[in-house]
Amino acid sequence: MFAGIFPQMKVIDHINNAKGNTLVSFEVLPPLKGKGINALYNHLDPLMEFKPAFINVTYHRSEHVFKKKADGSFEKIVVRKRPGTESICAAIMNKYNVDTVPHLICGGFGVNETEDALINLHYLGIDNVLVLRGDAAKNETSFEPEPGGHRYAIDLLKQVVNLNSGIYLEEGLKDTSRTKFCIGVAGYPEKHFEAPNLDTDLEHLKRKVDAGADYIITQMFFDNEKYHAFVKACRDAGIHVPIIPGLKPIYNKKQLTVLPRTFHVDLPADLANAILKCKTDEEVEQVGAEWLLMQSKELKKSGVPVLHYYTLGKPHVVAKVVRSL
Ligand code: FAD
């Protein structure tokens, strides 16, 4: 184990120990290949004064891109723009003594590679994972699992639950060590874009929880009523684990179209109109920060377990908001 790494606390224990107080957590991306780990530390430094309960690190699968050759033809190559999720989690733990949550996806992984990744995390003392399906690869129109890989997040989740019971892929292993992963899954207040309706999506979410998920983190939303309605629908459907709201700052006008297109979320008319009136990105950032603060205050007052911020590129905006809470 790295010097300085302490035994991890599970996300669910952080929540239970907080006894109803609202915690703060952040999501970061691995640095772009070639940027080095200091790029990430510079991003995290302004956020650490808020003593986050945990930090999530996203996972980015390889992409196929076409590179033009000298003769004018194209060569298909595989690039991985943001590698290193597992080791970045260990590096963050080592530097800041904070718990980390690596994201683990089905896309691009066979079950054996998944098991290896989980074993590596276990060796590193990382006891949290957020299990996800991942999106379609850039050259595919719909999600396709690797040959022999998992099709849905629940299948990956079951593999983690098996390891927690000491069941490895290789049959006949004796006296196996049990991992002790605390497992998070994704939920969508505005429905996952592929689900035919919210009820069906909730049925699949409930299956993930019944199979062993300890908590849910939501997709970003900009209207708190959607989060509250989602929590109620989950409770009515028999889902009783903590539901952590995911929050994102808006800081430029392009996001008015990029966010709905990419994440399938609505921006309320008041927010969209205020952004449209802005003349500069600085003004948009101010409007976005005020909106995020308003959302955060209301959610905190309503007693959410954690405010989870997608910090993507804008740690200072998130820092300003959390400082004002
Ligand atoms: P699933 O739970 O598998 O659901 C996918 C779809 O299939 C849904 O429509 C669901 O209703 C349906 N479904 C589920 N089970 C079944 C079944 N048995 N039969 C039929 N239909 C079913 N992506 C990344 O690549 N890297 C990341 O780091 C990352 N982090 C994320 C963090 C959060 C908090 C969130 C909300 C999303 C993140 N994503 C990430 C995006 C995520 O991978 C996509 O939203 C993906 O399209 C769905 O993932 P899921 O885990 O919700 O999938």
Side-chain angles (χ1 to χ4, degrees):
M1 201 180 277
F2 290 91
I5 288 191
F6 62 107
Q8 262 220 316
M9 209 163 120
K10 296 176 183 205
V11 167
I12 197 67
D13 292 336
H14 277 289
I15 293 173
N16 290 337
N17 290 354
K19 298 192 171 39
N21 290 315
T22 299
L23 303 169
V24 171
S25 63
F26 302 118
E27 179 193 277
V28 296
L29 277 64
L32 282 168
K33 192 185 279 182
K35 291 287 175 207
I37 191 79
N38 283 334
L40 181 68
Y41 294 154
N42 292 340
H43 185 90
L44 275 174
D45 283 345
L47 297 170
M48 296 318 292
E49 69 173 274
F50 307 110
K51 302 200 178 344
F54 52 91
I55 292 175
N56 282 50
V57 182
T58 54
Y59 190 92
H60 301 260
R61 64 185 294 181
S62 304
E63 296 169 25
H64 291 276
V65 294
F66 289 92
K67 197 175 162 199
K68 199 168 185 180
K69 296 202 294 194
D71 64 2
S73 65
F74 286 89
E75 182 190 7
K76 190 175 172 185
I77 55 167
V78 178
V79 290
R80 180 100 187 275
K81 289 185 180 161
R82 295 181 184 272
T85 299
E86 297 98 327
S87 44
I88 286 168
C89 284
I92 294 174
M93 283 166 70
N94 193 37
K95 182 167 168 70
Y96 299 106
N97 266 10
V98 63
D99 290 317
T100 51
V101 184
H103 293 189
L104 204 58
I105 63 171
C106 308
F109 275 92
V111 288
N112 287 303
E113 288 165 292
T114 298
E115 185 173 274
D116 288 349
L118 289 164
I119 290 171
N120 280 334
L121 292 173
H122 179 55
Y123 289 163
L124 288 165
I126 294 172
D127 292 335
N128 289 297
V129 280
L130 185 69
V131 302
L132 302 145
R133 185 195 69 180
D135 281 320
K138 290 237 161 79
N139 56 326
E140 290 173 349
T141 47
S142 59
F143 177 83
E144 281 304 325
E146 284 298 286
H150 298 304
R151 179 167 287 281
Y152 294 109
I154 189 170
D155 306 319
L156 171 54
L157 185 143
K158 285 177 180 168
Q159 187 174 5
V160 183
V161 169
N162 274 344
L163 272 196
N164 280 351
S165 308
I167 302 168
Y168 290 68
L169 292 172
E170 194 178 318
E171 283 175 20
L173 293 182
K174 295 218 167 57
D175 301 325
T176 51
S177 160
R178 289 164 183 242
T179 56
K180 41 186 178 175
F181 290 108
C182 170
I183 308 170
V185 290
Y188 302 82
E190 297 178 60
K191 181 182 93 59
H192 184 262
F193 70 103
E194 291 167 24
N197 54 60
L198 187 60
D199 285 349
T200 312
D201 207 19
L202 282 181
E203 279 171 29
H204 294 308
L205 181 58
K206 182 164 178 345
R207 287 201 186 109
K208 291 194 278 191
V209 172
D210 291 346
D214 295 289
Y215 64 95
I216 296 162
I217 302 190
T218 75
Q219 181 58 282
M220 68 188 74
F221 55 89
F222 297 92
D223 175 355
N224 285 2
E225 284 314 311
K226 295 204 164 143
Y227 168 82
H228 295 305
F230 176 69
V231 173
K232 178 164 185 328
C234 285
R235 302 308 181 221
D236 290 348
I239 298 170
H240 297 294
V241 295
I243 302 178
I244 299 175
L247 297 162
K248 183 181 171 77
I250 292 199
Y251 45 82
N252 66 42
K253 271 193 189 176
K254 273 191 294 187
Q255 287 173 296
L256 280 185
T257 48
V258 171
L259 294 178
R261 191 172 63 227
T262 313
F263 298 104
H264 311 276
V265 294
D266 269 2
L267 274 68
D270 286 353
L271 173 61
N273 290 337
I275 291 170
L276 284 172
K277 280 190 198 134
C278 294
K279 295 199 173 54
T280 62
D281 276 351
E282 287 71 36
E283 281 178 36
V284 177
E285 190 175 295
Q286 182 61 26
V287 169
E290 282 166 17
W291 191 272
L292 185 61
L293 180 60
M294 181 190 75
Q295 278 193 281
S296 304
K297 281 185 170 167
E298 193 278 333
L299 288 166
K300 188 174 174 188
K301 201 166 162 207
S302 76
V304 298
V306 185
L307 292 167
H308 183 68
Y309 292 96
Y310 302 118
T311 66
L312 188 75
K314 292 287 164 184
H316 63 281
V317 180
V318 172
K320 197 161 93 181
V321 168
V322 180
R323 197 170 293 119
S324 308
L325 268 176

